[in-house]
Amino acid sequence: KCEIKDFRIYVSKATLLNVKFELENYDIKFNYNYLNISIHECKEEQIKIFKNKIFYCEIPRCEDDCPVNDNKAICMKGEDINSNDIKNNHCECLQGWIGSKCQNRNYEDLR
């Protein structure tokens, strides 16, 4: 079994790459020797982090009590566009949930 784990490509701007694979062990065959890789800008909801002029994208992190995993809230990025700091990001309730920690159902009054 041959695995490539934690393969990363770092770039300074969005780009298109053509990567060629070669092996010293000729018993292993690739279906394709070339791999076209498109590196895009971060999505709107992500935070673009620069480190040594190289960028990567992160999903905003919030306090542990933001119920993102319970599908009650989403963590929104803060004003500092280059920092993923839980103090700057904010927890926002999804539709149907209210409260300081999105703990209460928001029922519509249909009367």
Side-chain angles (χ1 to χ4, degrees):
K1 180 178 179 180
C2 178
E3 285 185 18
I4 297 175
K5 290 189 176 183
D6 202 23
F7 179 72
R8 297 179 185 202
I9 297 173
Y10 297 96
V11 296
S12 58
K13 62 181 180 178
T15 189
L16 177 64
L17 301 173
N18 191 3
V19 178
K20 181 179 180 183
F21 291 98
E22 289 185 22
L23 296 173
E24 292 180 13
N25 181 345
Y26 295 103
D27 292 336
I28 298 173
K29 303 281 188 224
F30 285 112
N31 288 337
Y32 305 98
N33 288 339
Y34 290 91
L35 180 63
N36 292 322
I37 300 173
S38 236
I39 300 173
H40 301 279
E41 290 293 335
C42 298
K43 295 177 183 175
E44 180 64 31
E45 66 273 9
Q46 294 176 320
I47 299 170
K48 188 174 187 176
I49 308 289
F50 283 93
K51 187 173 184 177
N52 299 325
K53 299 182 182 179
I54 304 297
F55 83 85
Y56 59 96
C57 306
E58 286 189 358
I59 297 170
R61 294 186 325 245
C62 280
E63 299 282 348
D64 290 339
D65 57 0
C66 180
V68 173
N69 293 334
D70 297 333
N71 295 319
K72 295 179 181 179
I74 187 167
C75 185
M76 303 294 291
K77 63 183 175 182
E79 297 297 320
D80 186 354
I81 61 172
N82 294 318
S83 172
N84 195 3
D85 187 346
I86 59 174
K87 294 175 185 144
N88 293 327
N89 301 333
H90 62 277
C91 186
E92 187 174 297
C93 296
L94 293 174
Q95 185 175 359
W97 295 97
I98 57 174
S100 60
K101 300 299 174 194
C102 310
Q103 72 276 17
N104 300 319
R105 279 263 189 206
N106 184 18
Y107 294 103
E108 290 292 323
D109 187 0
L110 300 175
R111 291 183 265 176

